[in-house]
Amino acid sequence: MLPSKLRCTLWQVLPLLLMMAMDLRGSEVEVVPPEVKLPEQVTVLSAIESYGFIRQNPGVNIVDVREPWEVKERGYVEGASQLSFLHQTFKDHFKMAVLRENQPILIYCALGERARRAAVIVVELGYKDVQIMEGGLRSWMKAGLPVKK
């Protein structure tokens, strides 16, 4: 049994673990997660292709699946709706989100993995025209594309 001063919950330790995984100067540690098999309804776009896609489809539903603190810290793609993928009710929130009907969906996150996983869920919900941004907001920013703060 640990002394009471040393006891903690996962939620108390998780922010510390996340900070340890990130370089405090802003660069991120490369983590290679297991590959997610994307359904055929999902198209993977580079950051530049995503920018062109947004410009060619003014009604596109842009969905940022990062956490609110990430959006606040790093900014977001103009016009994006934020729906936390890590929230336990992501599927329900996505179904209730005010999306423009019959318009394509472009999903992005910080590096691309959550967007891939979210796209699988979105297709399971019945959406057919789904795009994800490869490399996430990091690739968007590396390409010098505009970010709202």
Side-chain angles (χ1 to χ4, degrees):
M1 179 102 171
L2 291 172
S4 62
K5 288 185 179 182
L6 294 177
R7 286 187 214 146
C8 57
T9 66
L10 176 62
W11 298 113
Q12 291 168 319
V13 176
L14 190 57
L16 297 173
L17 294 173
L18 288 172
M19 286 187 347
M20 290 169 55
M22 297 174 67
D23 180 350
L24 295 178
R25 293 171 299 196
S27 62
E28 292 148 7
V29 175
E30 277 300 318
V31 177
V32 181
E35 186 68 25
V36 173
K37 181 160 175 34
L38 293 172
E40 63 184 34
Q41 297 92 328
V42 178
T43 304
V44 179
L45 303 174
S46 70
I48 297 293
E49 290 170 328
S50 296
Y51 181 72
F53 185 78
I54 292 167
R55 293 181 55 94
Q56 291 172 356
N57 297 281
V60 65
N61 294 292
I62 307 168
V63 181
D64 183 334
V65 295
R66 297 175 299 150
E67 294 300 298
W69 66 267
E70 293 176 281
V71 174
K72 184 176 181 182
E73 184 178 291
R74 302 280 178 153
Y76 58 95
V77 173
E78 185 172 8
S81 300
Q82 195 270 324
L83 292 170
S84 171
F85 176 71
L86 297 178
H87 195 278
Q88 63 187 10
T89 59
F90 171 76
K91 194 182 260 189
D92 294 330
H93 284 159
F94 199 92
K95 286 191 276 188
M96 294 185 317
V98 182
L99 299 177
R100 290 171 291 283
E101 290 185 35
N102 301 320
Q103 291 296 323
I105 298 170
L106 173 66
I107 303 171
Y108 74 93
C109 60
L111 302 172
E113 183 59 26
R114 284 175 284 182
R116 294 176 73 82
R117 294 180 186 281
V120 171
I121 292 170
V122 168
V123 169
E124 287 173 2
L125 291 172
Y127 294 91
K128 296 186 180 3
D129 193 359
V130 180
Q131 283 65 226
I132 59 171
M133 185 190 317
E134 186 173 40
L137 189 67
R138 183 170 78 170
S139 67
W140 181 274
M141 292 172 73
K142 279 186 176 182
L145 296 168
V147 175
K148 298 287 279 186
K149 290 277 183 167

